[in-house]
Amino acid sequence: MSQGTASSTPDRDRYGRMLRYVGHAGTDAARELLASGAARVYDTDQQLARETDYAAAAQDAHSAATGLWGNCLTTK
């Protein structure tokens, strides 16, 4: 397992929590959770390095009614 940050990404969020990317064997753990519908995108005012990729993975899961999106009613 590995963790790290992107040089263009803030080190902490607005609440002071550390922001890290977690991976294992070349797989981005957050992206996998989003793609499987097991998580939702974290909304922030800060620009994050993988924000576009994460949003696309989450949207694909939502459109396919995968994971949470297949079992929960959502409104937006």
Side-chain angles (χ1 to χ4, degrees):
M1 181 172 4
S2 63
Q3 70 169 350
T5 61
S7 60
S8 61
T9 299
D11 188 51
R12 296 186 180 268
D13 70 5
R14 65 179 171 237
Y15 302 108
R17 298 176 294 197
M18 293 189 330
L19 299 173
R20 298 291 180 267
Y21 294 110
V22 177
H24 176 68
T27 300
D28 182 330
R31 189 187 184 295
E32 289 301 309
L33 288 168
L34 291 162
S36 67
R40 65 179 191 87
V41 174
Y42 173 66
D43 293 322
T44 179
D45 295 334
Q46 298 168 307
Q47 183 65 34
L48 304 177
R50 300 180 189 179
E51 185 173 0
T52 302
D53 187 39
Y54 285 179
Q59 183 58 47
D60 289 347
H62 191 267
S63 295
T66 302
L68 297 170
W69 312 117
N71 296 315
C72 298
L73 297 175
T74 60
T75 59
K76 189 154 186 172

